[in-house]
Amino acid sequence: MTATAKVRIFVTEPWDFERITGATELTGWTSDHADPDNEEWEVHLDSGFEYHGLQVDRLLAGPRYVGEHLLRMFDAVTAFPVRLAHPQDDDWHYAFIGMISPRPEREEMEDGNSI
């Protein structure tokens, strides 16, 4: 079985994404990173959101700039720019721009709290 990569996505466009959806950042996972030939990754969201009456539970992330590859996300200092699509009518509809970054595992402290 292929290991999954946990990711965090911050949507920057549309500028009022948080007001429309109530989501400040999105978290999810993908296994598409395992194949270096994948130019786009399907991200399964931990918690979906509603966008203009459509329930979105997964996104298709692709590099925002020509010649870039999503694997650079693992080398980025903070995050990597992406264009994001949601499924609509059996196809992908690009509607968002954002930043994607690896999501670190939460560490358990001795008192049971996580950091």
Side-chain angles (χ1 to χ4, degrees), residues 46-57:
D46 295 334
S47 295
F49 59 90
E50 188 173 313
Y51 184 72
H52 295 300
L54 178 67
Q55 179 62 32
V56 178
D57 296 315

Side-chain angles (χ1 to χ4, degrees), residues 6 9 15-16 18 20 22 24 27-28 32 35 58 66 74-75 86 88 90 94 101 103 115:
K6 293 183 179 183
I9 298 172
W15 64 270
D16 57 348
E18 182 179 355
I20 293 170
T24 56
T27 59
D32 291 343
D35 183 353
R58 55 196 174 106
V66 174
F74 296 108
D75 298 327
H86 62 79
Q88 183 175 355
D90 297 327
Y94 283 94
S101 61
R103 184 175 47 147
I115 54 174

Side-chain angles (χ1 to χ4, degrees), residues 33-113:
H33 71 289
D35 183 353
D37 291 333
N38 284 338
E39 295 181 7
E40 298 174 314
W41 297 349
E42 184 174 349
V43 177
H44 301 266
L45 301 175
D46 295 334
S47 295
F49 59 90
E50 188 173 313
Y51 184 72
H52 295 300
L54 178 67
Q55 179 62 32
V56 178
D57 296 315
R58 55 196 174 106
L59 293 170
L60 186 66
R64 184 164 178 196
Y65 303 109
V66 174
E68 297 284 350
H69 197 283
L70 288 175
L71 287 175
R72 290 200 50 212
M73 171 192 80
F74 296 108
D75 298 327
V77 174
T78 55
F80 186 76
V82 290
R83 58 193 173 101
L84 301 162
H86 62 79
Q88 183 175 355
D89 300 327
D90 297 327
D91 201 9
W92 292 101
H93 176 72
Y94 283 94
F96 315 113
I97 294 174
M99 301 294 283
I100 190 170
S101 61
R103 184 175 47 147
E105 293 291 330
R106 299 190 129 219
E107 295 180 22
E108 291 292 325
M109 297 172 55
E110 289 181 20
D111 64 359
N113 293 324

